Amino acid sequence: MKVKFIIIGITDEAQPQLSNEVVEIISRGRVFSGGKRHHEIMKPYLPEENEWIDITVPLERVFNDYRRHFEDRPDEAIVVVASGDPLFFGFANTVKRELPDAEISLYPSFNSLQTLAHRLVMPYHDMRIVSLTGRDWHEFDRALIEHAEKLGVLTDRVHTPSVIAKRMLEYGYDKYVISVGEHLGNRSEEKVSTMTLEEAAQTEFSHPNCLILKAEEKLPPRRLGLPDSEFELLNGRDKMITKMSIRLLSLQALELYSRQVLWDIGFCTGSVSIEARLQFPHLLIESFEIREEGRSLIGINTHRFGAPGISSHIGDFLKEDISALPKPDAVFIGGHGGKLIEIFQKVAPLLEKGGIIVMNSVTAESKQLFHEACRLCKLKEKEPLRIAVNDYHPIEIMKAVK
């Protein structure tokens, strides 16, 4: 089946400036598609006899309409109207994903972040870009943790500039100014403003909008190793934390540079999860703790160290419904309450081949449990690393690979 799309990018201007070539394409078109806002803008330019396919969720219905069209008229292209540059987090990417063999012709306009940079007369070749449009916080948080000095952000009605500013302040990322562009390209409604994060957090912005964050000063270097003394501890007990040197060696044993999803079982203060988040911000991290006190501890410590994006679960891990969680390729077991074998039996089937489990053993009994769990779950043990920190008992960092 021959599939052909002509995708035209427009601005938010009520009367867009269209090239002669684009005007000619529209005049010869019969089937058009785009969002409702695009339809309103383009109505005066469409031929009298036309069919418009609204792009609305679920997209499965939209692409079924496209397929029916191409089955009936395989040589007739669908003309899609999109915002800005259709390859910039835009609909052309969706077409390439859903119909990879489609023939696509593009007529892009400036995307919103380019337009905002133009209005600010700000060079943007060094700008990191993140989309929060219909997405979660992961890549935005990652950019903050990696100290991006200039960050362009696409927003939506949930991830608004004020919500973004509040999140940044909440986690201590306060050394930025924020520039917000509203209704960019619409001459009658366009507004560009630059302000502090504190001001943005208290301001309501009209939609659509986008923003650019720029560091006011040189950001501090990222730390390798978080001092144990800076963590909020469980009842002030300094033995209830994985010490920094052990923590770093454990993360190294997990080979997190090549992993995607870390589960931290028995997180207590959250030190392992937080260290992993800051050193390997590409990771998705799911953390589990049976003690109710863990809820406040990980909240305090993630905000103290600027480590957003860790998903925490309070309760008995063995009773936890994990079916909807991303499957781990790295697991750290910080506490098991004598149920190590049962934890292995719950986790091991989820690991892909090459997945790693690491545990720190301080007693012969826990070491023997680790051996038995590996045997029952058919995991291959690696040579343990034995280390002693100050006056504490020696610890063996145990490692198993599927």
Side-chain angles (χ1 to χ4, degrees):
M1 180 174 63
K2 188 175 180 181
V3 179
K4 184 177 180 180
F5 290 87
I6 301 172
I7 306 181
I8 300 168
I10 63 171
T11 67
D12 202 44
E13 181 61 60
Q15 295 180 328
Q17 298 179 16
L18 304 175
S19 69
N20 292 336
E21 185 178 3
V22 168
V23 170
E24 176 66 20
I25 288 169
I26 292 172
S27 69
R28 290 188 279 106
R30 195 191 69 83
V31 178
F32 299 84
S33 188
K36 294 184 183 299
R37 181 169 58 91
H38 300 132
H39 194 193
E40 289 301 314
I41 292 173
M42 294 303 294
K43 270 182 181 179
Y45 302 90
L46 300 178
E48 287 187 14
E49 298 295 327
N50 76 82
E51 176 186 348
W52 183 277
I53 301 173
D54 274 326
I55 298 176
T56 56
V57 292
L59 289 178
E60 181 181 1
R61 179 197 59 77
V62 178
F63 278 89
N64 285 338
D65 287 346
Y66 291 165
R67 290 184 181 95
R68 280 192 289 270
H69 164 76
F70 290 121
E71 286 171 359
D72 294 339
R73 298 181 178 85
D75 295 322
E76 188 176 73
I78 294 178
V79 180
V80 177
V81 182
S83 296
D85 182 350
L87 283 174
F88 184 78
F89 297 97
F91 195 68
N93 299 317
T94 307
V95 172
K96 288 171 67 67
R97 184 183 68 243
E98 297 293 327
L99 298 170
D101 296 327
E103 179 184 336
I104 299 174
S105 298
L106 286 173
Y107 295 85
S109 179
F110 286 122
N111 68 60
S112 58
L113 287 173
Q114 284 178 308
T115 302
L116 179 55
H118 295 164
R119 300 292 190 268
L120 297 168
V121 195
M122 177 188 291
Y124 59 88
H125 61 276
D126 57 347
M127 181 167 69
R128 184 161 173 177
I129 296 168
V130 171
S131 175
L132 287 172
T133 306
R135 293 170 168 84
D136 60 25
W137 290 104
H138 182 71
E139 288 300 325
F140 178 79
D141 291 343
R142 177 180 178 178
L144 292 182
I145 292 169
E146 293 177 346
H147 290 181
E149 295 189 357
K150 190 185 294 181
L151 182 59
V153 185
L154 299 175
T155 65
D156 61 17
R157 295 183 185 276
V158 175
H159 305 89
T160 65
S162 58
V163 169
I164 291 168
K166 288 173 185 175
R167 185 178 181 85
M168 293 176 69
L169 293 170
E170 184 181 345
Y171 283 95
Y173 293 96
D174 54 359
K175 293 179 169 56
Y176 290 84
V177 292
I178 183 171
S179 298
V180 181
E182 305 166 70
H183 298 284
L184 292 170
N186 188 324
R187 296 178 187 178
S188 61
E189 297 185 51
E190 180 177 294
K191 181 181 179 183
V192 175
S193 49
T194 299
M195 62 189 74
T196 66
L197 291 175
E198 289 81 3
E199 290 169 333
Q202 302 302 318
T203 303
E204 289 190 14
F205 299 89
S206 59
H207 191 82
N209 58 61
C210 65
L211 61 91
I212 295 176
L213 297 161
K214 191 173 186 299
E216 291 185 283
E217 56 190 77
K218 186 71 175 177
L219 297 174
R222 293 169 60 195
R223 293 191 289 181
L224 176 62
L226 303 172
D228 301 331
S229 60
E230 293 185 18
F231 280 90
E232 187 77 12
L233 302 174
L234 179 63
N235 300 324
R237 297 158 62 189
D238 61 2
K239 290 186 177 181
M240 297 299 289
I241 183 174
T242 303
K243 298 296 181 287
M244 180 175 66
S245 54
I246 304 297
R247 193 161 64 237
L248 294 176
L249 287 170
S250 298
L251 296 183
Q252 186 276 333
L254 285 162
E255 302 177 16
L256 294 181
Y257 51 85
S258 62
R259 305 289 147 175
Q260 298 301 315
V261 181
L262 169 67
W263 283 14
D264 179 9
I265 301 173
F267 66 72
C268 192
T269 62
S271 65
V272 170
S273 291
I274 292 168
E275 192 83 66
R277 184 73 177 124
L278 297 181
Q279 299 304 325
F280 306 94
H282 69 280
L283 285 173
L284 294 175
I285 302 178
E286 304 288 338
S287 301
F288 306 86
E289 173 57 48
I290 196 169
R291 301 180 186 89
E292 179 59 35
E293 297 93 326
R295 192 185 307 278
S296 61
L297 283 177
I298 199 165
I300 292 169
N301 288 325
T302 52
H303 286 80
R304 183 173 294 177
F305 290 104
I310 296 172
S311 297
S312 59
H313 310 268
I314 304 298
D316 187 343
F317 175 76
L318 294 175
K319 297 178 182 177
E320 184 82 22
D321 180 4
I322 58 175
S323 59
L325 299 180
K327 293 183 179 180
D329 51 8
V331 176
F332 179 76
I333 301 177
H336 55 82
K339 302 288 187 178
L340 185 61
I341 291 175
E342 292 87 342
I343 291 174
F344 262 68
Q345 289 173 329
K346 186 168 184 175
V347 166
L350 303 178
L351 287 174
E352 299 289 342
K353 185 178 180 181
I356 295 174
I357 299 178
V358 166
M359 183 193 81
N360 296 329
S361 173
V362 294
T363 66
E365 290 78 10
S366 64
K367 186 176 179 179
Q368 184 56 43
L369 277 175
F370 189 88
H371 293 325
E372 182 65 11
C374 289
R375 184 187 67 81
L376 290 172
C377 297
K378 297 181 171 56
L379 301 181
K380 182 179 180 181
E381 286 192 62
K382 297 293 186 177
E383 187 71 23
L385 176 64
R386 184 178 175 87
I387 186 171
V389 178
N390 299 331
D391 296 329
Y392 295 98
H393 293 299
I395 291 174
E396 287 193 75
I397 300 174
M398 314 291 292
K399 177 176 179 178
V401 180
K402 186 170 180 178

